[in-house]
PDB file of all heavy atoms in Angstrom:
ATOM      1  N   GLU A 381       9.019  21.458  -8.392  1.00  0.00           N
ATOM      2  CA  GLU A 381       8.704  22.651  -9.113  1.00  0.00           C
ATOM      3  C   GLU A 381       7.396  22.568  -9.881  1.00  0.00           C
ATOM      4  O   GLU A 381       6.729  23.601 -10.133  1.00  0.00           O
ATOM      5  CB  GLU A 381       9.884  22.989 -10.037  1.00  0.00           C
ATOM      6  CG  GLU A 381      11.106  23.464  -9.283  1.00  0.00           C
ATOM      7  CD  GLU A 381      12.336  23.700 -10.172  1.00  0.00           C
ATOM      8  OE1 GLU A 381      12.221  23.442 -11.401  1.00  0.00           O
ATOM      9  OE2 GLU A 381      13.480  23.889  -9.627  1.00  0.00           O
ATOM     10  N   ALA A 382       7.088  21.285 -10.215  1.00  0.00           N
ATOM     11  CA  ALA A 382       5.750  21.070 -10.910  1.00  0.00           C
ATOM     12  C   ALA A 382       4.602  21.028  -9.909  1.00  0.00           C
ATOM     13  O   ALA A 382       3.403  20.940 -10.290  1.00  0.00           O
ATOM     14  CB  ALA A 382       5.847  19.763 -11.780  1.00  0.00           C
ATOM     15  N   GLY A 383       4.932  21.122  -8.527  1.00  0.00           N
ATOM     16  CA  GLY A 383       3.872  21.326  -7.637  1.00  0.00           C
ATOM     17  C   GLY A 383       3.476  19.892  -7.034  1.00  0.00           C
ATOM     18  O   GLY A 383       2.479  19.857  -6.254  1.00  0.00           O
ATOM     19  N   LEU A 384       4.192  18.930  -7.223  1.00  0.00           N
ATOM     20  CA  LEU A 384       3.831  17.629  -6.558  1.00  0.00           C
ATOM     21  C   LEU A 384       4.260  17.616  -5.129  1.00  0.00           C
ATOM     22  O   LEU A 384       5.402  18.040  -4.766  1.00  0.00           O
ATOM     23  CB  LEU A 384       4.610  16.482  -7.256  1.00  0.00           C
ATOM     24  CG  LEU A 384       4.143  14.995  -6.815  1.00  0.00           C
ATOM     25  CD1 LEU A 384       2.753  14.845  -7.449  1.00  0.00           C
ATOM     26  CD2 LEU A 384       5.094  13.928  -7.334  1.00  0.00           C
ATOM     27  N   PRO A 385       3.315  17.303  -4.254  1.00  0.00           N
ATOM     28  CA  PRO A 385       3.563  17.418  -2.734  1.00  0.00           C
ATOM     29  C   PRO A 385       4.800  16.600  -2.346  1.00  0.00           C
ATOM     30  O   PRO A 385       5.036  15.567  -2.832  1.00  0.00           O
ATOM     31  CB  PRO A 385       2.350  16.934  -2.010  1.00  0.00           C
ATOM     32  CG  PRO A 385       1.250  17.122  -3.166  1.00  0.00           C
ATOM     33  CD  PRO A 385       1.903  16.891  -4.454  1.00  0.00           C
ATOM     34  N   THR A 386       5.625  17.086  -1.401  1.00  0.00           N
ATOM     35  CA  THR A 386       6.715  16.437  -0.951  1.00  0.00           C
ATOM     36  C   THR A 386       6.515  14.966  -0.440  1.00  0.00           C
ATOM     37  O   THR A 386       7.215  14.087  -0.674  1.00  0.00           O
ATOM     38  CB  THR A 386       7.477  17.226   0.193  1.00  0.00           C
ATOM     39  OG1 THR A 386       7.842  18.508  -0.382  1.00  0.00           O
ATOM     40  CG2 THR A 386       8.741  16.557   0.642  1.00  0.00           C
ATOM     41  N   GLU A 387       5.283  14.805   0.179  1.00  0.00           N
ATOM     42  CA  GLU A 387       5.023  13.482   0.761  1.00  0.00           C
ATOM     43  C   GLU A 387       4.792  12.421  -0.308  1.00  0.00           C
ATOM     44  O   GLU A 387       4.667  11.269  -0.014  1.00  0.00           O
ATOM     45  CB  GLU A 387       3.815  13.574   1.681  1.00  0.00           C
ATOM     46  CG  GLU A 387       2.542  14.085   1.094  1.00  0.00           C
ATOM     47  CD  GLU A 387       2.411  15.595   1.232  1.00  0.00           C
ATOM     48  OE1 GLU A 387       3.360  16.286   1.501  1.00  0.00           O
ATOM     49  OE2 GLU A 387       1.277  16.027   1.183  1.00  0.00           O
ATOM     50  N   GLN A 388       4.618  12.853  -1.669  1.00  0.00           N
ATOM     51  CA  GLN A 388       4.467  11.965  -2.675  1.00  0.00           C
ATOM     52  C   GLN A 388       5.754  11.623  -3.452  1.00  0.00           C
ATOM     53  O   GLN A 388       5.835  10.971  -4.452  1.00  0.00           O
ATOM     54  CB  GLN A 388       3.320  12.447  -3.713  1.00  0.00           C
ATOM     55  CG  GLN A 388       1.953  12.431  -3.061  1.00  0.00           C
ATOM     56  CD  GLN A 388       0.982  13.074  -4.076  1.00  0.00           C
ATOM     57  OE1 GLN A 388       0.178  13.965  -3.641  1.00  0.00           O
ATOM     58  NE2 GLN A 388       0.990  12.693  -5.289  1.00  0.00           N
ATOM     59  N   ILE A 389       6.928  12.128  -2.897  1.00  0.00           N
ATOM     60  CA  ILE A 389       8.151  12.001  -3.559  1.00  0.00           C
ATOM     61  C   ILE A 389       9.033  11.269  -2.595  1.00  0.00           C
ATOM     62  O   ILE A 389       9.383  11.651  -1.534  1.00  0.00           O
ATOM     63  CB  ILE A 389       8.766  13.367  -3.963  1.00  0.00           C
ATOM     64  CG1 ILE A 389       7.858  14.197  -4.785  1.00  0.00           C
ATOM     65  CG2 ILE A 389      10.130  13.132  -4.596  1.00  0.00           C
ATOM     66  CD1 ILE A 389       8.334  15.580  -4.993  1.00  0.00           C
ATOM     67  N   HIS A 390       9.533  10.027  -3.077  1.00  0.00           N
ATOM     68  CA  HIS A 390      10.432   9.125  -2.304  1.00  0.00           C
ATOM     69  C   HIS A 390      11.586   8.796  -2.994  1.00  0.00           C
ATOM     70  O   HIS A 390      11.516   8.548  -4.347  1.00  0.00           O
ATOM     71  CB  HIS A 390       9.603   7.897  -1.948  1.00  0.00           C
ATOM     72  CG  HIS A 390       8.233   8.142  -1.507  1.00  0.00           C
ATOM     73  ND1 HIS A 390       7.819   8.361  -0.247  1.00  0.00           N
ATOM     74  CD2 HIS A 390       7.019   8.161  -2.301  1.00  0.00           C
ATOM     75  CE1 HIS A 390       6.534   8.518  -0.216  1.00  0.00           C
ATOM     76  NE2 HIS A 390       5.982   8.416  -1.442  1.00  0.00           N
ATOM     77  N   TYR A 391      12.815   8.711  -2.485  1.00  0.00           N
ATOM     78  CA  TYR A 391      13.992   8.453  -3.173  1.00  0.00           C
ATOM     79  C   TYR A 391      15.031   7.776  -2.370  1.00  0.00           C
ATOM     80  O   TYR A 391      15.023   7.867  -1.091  1.00  0.00           O
ATOM     81  CB  TYR A 391      14.568   9.687  -3.793  1.00  0.00           C
ATOM     82  CG  TYR A 391      14.718  10.924  -2.923  1.00  0.00           C
ATOM     83  CD1 TYR A 391      15.806  11.012  -1.994  1.00  0.00           C
ATOM     84  CD2 TYR A 391      13.723  11.912  -2.799  1.00  0.00           C
ATOM     85  CE1 TYR A 391      15.936  12.116  -1.224  1.00  0.00           C
ATOM     86  CE2 TYR A 391      13.850  12.907  -2.033  1.00  0.00           C
ATOM     87  CZ  TYR A 391      14.868  13.048  -1.238  1.00  0.00           C
ATOM     88  OH  TYR A 391      14.963  14.118  -0.355  1.00  0.00           O
ATOM     89  N   GLU A 392      15.904   7.024  -2.987  1.00  0.00           N
ATOM     90  CA  GLU A 392      16.971   6.386  -2.422  1.00  0.00           C
ATOM     91  C   GLU A 392      18.287   6.917  -2.947  1.00  0.00           C
ATOM     92  O   GLU A 392      18.512   7.123  -4.101  1.00  0.00           O
ATOM     93  CB  GLU A 392      16.919   4.822  -2.674  1.00  0.00           C
ATOM     94  CG  GLU A 392      18.136   4.054  -2.161  1.00  0.00           C
ATOM     95  CD  GLU A 392      18.139   3.871  -0.712  1.00  0.00           C
ATOM     96  OE1 GLU A 392      18.152   5.004  -0.015  1.00  0.00           O
ATOM     97  OE2 GLU A 392      18.208   2.744  -0.211  1.00  0.00           O
ATOM     98  N   MET A 393      19.161   7.160  -1.977  1.00  0.00           N
ATOM     99  CA  MET A 393      20.562   7.664  -2.318  1.00  0.00           C
ATOM    100  C   MET A 393      21.577   6.515  -2.253  1.00  0.00           C
ATOM    101  O   MET A 393      21.733   5.979  -1.160  1.00  0.00           O
ATOM    102  CB  MET A 393      21.035   8.875  -1.462  1.00  0.00           C
ATOM    103  CG  MET A 393      20.257  10.092  -1.731  1.00  0.00           C
ATOM    104  SD  MET A 393      20.683  11.435  -0.595  1.00  0.00           S
ATOM    105  CE  MET A 393      19.748  10.871   0.864  1.00  0.00           C
ATOM    106  N   PHE A 394      22.260   6.225  -3.282  1.00  0.00           N
ATOM    107  CA  PHE A 394      23.345   5.274  -3.141  1.00  0.00           C
ATOM    108  C   PHE A 394      24.531   5.941  -2.663  1.00  0.00           C
ATOM    109  O   PHE A 394      24.912   7.062  -3.254  1.00  0.00           O
ATOM    110  CB  PHE A 394      23.618   4.644  -4.503  1.00  0.00           C
ATOM    111  CG  PHE A 394      22.668   3.647  -5.052  1.00  0.00           C
ATOM    112  CD1 PHE A 394      22.628   3.255  -6.346  1.00  0.00           C
ATOM    113  CD2 PHE A 394      21.704   3.122  -4.130  1.00  0.00           C
ATOM    114  CE1 PHE A 394      21.661   2.370  -6.770  1.00  0.00           C
ATOM    115  CE2 PHE A 394      20.776   2.232  -4.588  1.00  0.00           C
ATOM    116  CZ  PHE A 394      20.715   1.815  -5.893  1.00  0.00           C
ATOM    117  N   GLY A 395      25.265   5.402  -1.640  1.00  0.00           N
ATOM    118  CA  GLY A 395      26.335   6.200  -0.978  1.00  0.00           C
ATOM    119  C   GLY A 395      25.882   7.083   0.099  1.00  0.00           C
ATOM    120  O   GLY A 395      24.775   7.012   0.642  1.00  0.00           O
ATOM    121  N   SER A 396      26.728   8.041   0.486  1.00  0.00           N
ATOM    122  CA  SER A 396      26.575   8.908   1.729  1.00  0.00           C
ATOM    123  C   SER A 396      25.614  10.000   1.245  1.00  0.00           C
ATOM    124  O   SER A 396      25.638  10.484   0.032  1.00  0.00           O
ATOM    125  CB  SER A 396      27.798   9.458   2.190  1.00  0.00           C
ATOM    126  OG  SER A 396      28.708   8.395   2.617  1.00  0.00           O
ATOM    127  N   ALA A 397      24.866  10.531   2.180  1.00  0.00           N
ATOM    128  CA  ALA A 397      23.896  11.710   1.886  1.00  0.00           C
ATOM    129  C   ALA A 397      24.668  12.951   1.942  1.00  0.00           C
ATOM    130  O   ALA A 397      24.545  13.796   2.883  1.00  0.00           O
ATOM    131  CB  ALA A 397      22.812  11.683   2.937  1.00  0.00           C
ATOM    132  N   SER A 398      25.454  13.159   0.912  1.00  0.00           N
ATOM    133  CA  SER A 398      26.405  14.391   0.879  1.00  0.00           C
ATOM    134  C   SER A 398      25.742  15.415   0.075  1.00  0.00           C
ATOM    135  O   SER A 398      26.348  16.571  -0.042  1.00  0.00           O
ATOM    136  CB  SER A 398      27.813  13.957   0.324  1.00  0.00           C
ATOM    137  OG  SER A 398      27.570  13.477  -1.042  1.00  0.00           O
ATOM    138  N   ASN A 399      24.572  15.337  -0.466  1.00  0.00           N
ATOM    139  CA  ASN A 399      23.882  16.351  -1.134  1.00  0.00           C
ATOM    140  C   ASN A 399      22.796  17.032  -0.241  1.00  0.00           C
ATOM    141  O   ASN A 399      21.891  16.435   0.116  1.00  0.00           O
ATOM    142  CB  ASN A 399      23.256  15.846  -2.364  1.00  0.00           C
ATOM    143  CG  ASN A 399      22.605  16.924  -3.272  1.00  0.00           C
ATOM    144  OD1 ASN A 399      21.520  17.459  -2.909  1.00  0.00           O
ATOM    145  ND2 ASN A 399      23.228  17.269  -4.295  1.00  0.00           N
ATOM    146  N   PRO A 400      23.024  18.286   0.094  1.00  0.00           N
ATOM    147  CA  PRO A 400      22.095  18.894   1.115  1.00  0.00           C
ATOM    148  C   PRO A 400      20.648  18.918   0.614  1.00  0.00           C
ATOM    149  O   PRO A 400      19.776  18.672   1.318  1.00  0.00           O
ATOM    150  CB  PRO A 400      22.676  20.323   1.225  1.00  0.00           C
ATOM    151  CG  PRO A 400      24.075  20.257   0.809  1.00  0.00           C
ATOM    152  CD  PRO A 400      24.075  19.149  -0.277  1.00  0.00           C
TER     153      PRO A 400
END
Side-chain angles (χ1 to χ4, degrees):
E381 289 171 5
L384 192 70
T386 299
E387 59 269 21
Q388 290 175 231
I389 304 172
H390 317 272
Y391 47 85
E392 174 70 304
M393 288 176 283
F394 289 163
S396 299
S398 57
N399 182 283

